[in-house]
Amino acid sequence: DIVMTQSPLSLPVTPGEPASISCRSSQSLLHSNGYSYLDWYLQRPGQSPHLLIYLGSKRASGVPDRFSGSGSGTDFTLKISRVEAEDVGVYYCMQVLQIPLTFGGGTKVEIK
Amino acid sequence: QITLKESGPTLVKPTQTLTLTCTFSGFSLSTGGVGVGWIRQPPGKALEWLALIYWDDDKRYSPSLKSRLTITKDTSKNQVVLTMTNMDPVDTATYYCAHRQLVSGFYWYFDLWGRGTLVTVSS
């Protein structure tokens, strides 16, 4: 199985400031087609997860452009350019290159 | 508009079989490029993928749980059913179903999730 490791575990942020979350995979997520098979999800408190980023860097429909994904191979980053109050919750990365699909342990973003 | 809703028992006893139903609207599981998956989340813990079923009845399971899981679809009822045998207290979790969509002809993602249903395993 591909193991997904996220850091930090917890991230206190100040509204208006940037934030960055790291996700590392135990194997390369680079497909032979040149794309990275990685998604990012946000689970707000009391809600189900929703898709933010797919293919490592493409924003899902309706996702604000303050969210960006980058990286390749085994190292990926989710960045929020200017954190807003509605961005609090737990962020998960997920690899979709191979079965079993696996998630990172999550990064909890909270307002300072 | 796509919606999904999970239903099933909130409490099951150890060794019993759990049957969960995902009832959806806004799409058909007989249409190409569509699938439904199940993911669970123990209280306060991370997400764990369980199973997938596609429009062509292709099925995928988590290898660690494969012997206990069965996923089926009923396209006439717009439902996907997940059964999990031999339930244990460690299986206590919120169980989500999610719509899986093919994009750009080669990539699949979970773009919409149900609200989840909490299942507690206890005697």
Side-chain angles (χ1 to χ4, degrees):
Chain A
D1 298 4
I2 298 177
V3 176
M4 306 297 291
T5 304
Q6 288 182 234
S7 62
L9 216 61
S10 176
L11 182 60
V13 296
T14 301
E17 294 296 305
S20 180
I21 299 169
S22 172
C23 175
R24 182 166 291 179
S25 57
S26 61
Q27 303 173 35
S28 175
L29 301 185
L30 185 63
H31 192 278
S32 56
N33 61 17
Y35 291 96
S36 293
Y37 276 45
L38 180 102
D39 299 334
W40 287 97
Y41 292 86
L42 165 60
Q43 185 174 31
R44 293 190 176 108
Q47 296 186 15
S48 51
H50 73 272
L51 181 68
L52 293 174
I53 301 287
Y54 65 99
L55 279 168
S57 62
K58 295 190 180 297
R59 275 188 300 276
S61 176
V63 175
D65 61 8
R66 64 179 181 274
F67 290 94
S68 64
S70 63
S72 64
T74 61
D75 289 297
F76 299 88
T77 302
L78 177 71
K79 291 182 179 177
I80 310 173
S81 58
R82 292 175 303 280
V83 172
E84 297 189 6
E86 65 178 17
D87 300 336
V88 299
V90 182
Y91 290 77
Y92 294 95
C93 59
M94 176 188 182
Q95 69 80 19
V96 294
L97 182 66
Q98 63 179 238
I99 297 295
L101 309 180
T102 48
F103 292 88
T107 294
K108 186 175 184 178
V109 171
E110 50 194 4
I111 300 295
K112 282 182 181 175
Chain B
Q1 180 190 2
I2 291 175
T3 63
L4 306 101
K5 186 175 183 180
E6 306 85 354
S7 60
T10 58
L11 180 66
V12 297
K13 290 180 168 42
T15 76
Q16 285 187 335
T17 294
L18 171 69
T19 299
L20 293 172
T21 301
C22 176
T23 303
F24 55 85
S25 63
F27 68 96
S28 172
L29 251 184
S30 57
T31 301
V34 173
V36 171
W38 286 93
I39 303 99
R40 71 179 178 179
Q41 185 173 39
K45 295 188 177 181
L47 301 161
E48 179 186 16
W49 170 73
L50 301 176
L52 282 169
I53 189 165
Y54 292 99
W55 85 99
D56 58 358
D57 211 36
D58 186 22
K59 301 168 186 177
R60 296 285 186 261
Y61 297 99
S62 171
S64 64
L65 293 167
K66 186 174 182 178
S67 63
R68 299 173 54 204
L69 295 174
T70 303
I71 190 169
T72 60
K73 63 181 174 72
D74 185 332
T75 53
S76 65
K77 293 183 179 178
N78 279 352
Q79 291 180 334
V80 170
V81 175
L82 181 76
T83 61
M84 181 180 290
T85 62
N86 195 25
M87 293 293 285
D88 183 272
V90 300
D91 297 314
T92 293
T94 295
Y95 287 76
Y96 297 98
C97 63
H99 174 260
R100 195 151 177 83
Q101 179 69 49
L102 180 66
V103 292
S104 304
F106 65 90
Y107 195 81
W108 292 88
Y109 57 44
F110 292 119
D111 58 346
L112 288 158
W113 297 50
R115 300 184 72 166
T117 184
L118 176 61
V119 178
T120 300
V121 184
S122 174
S123 55

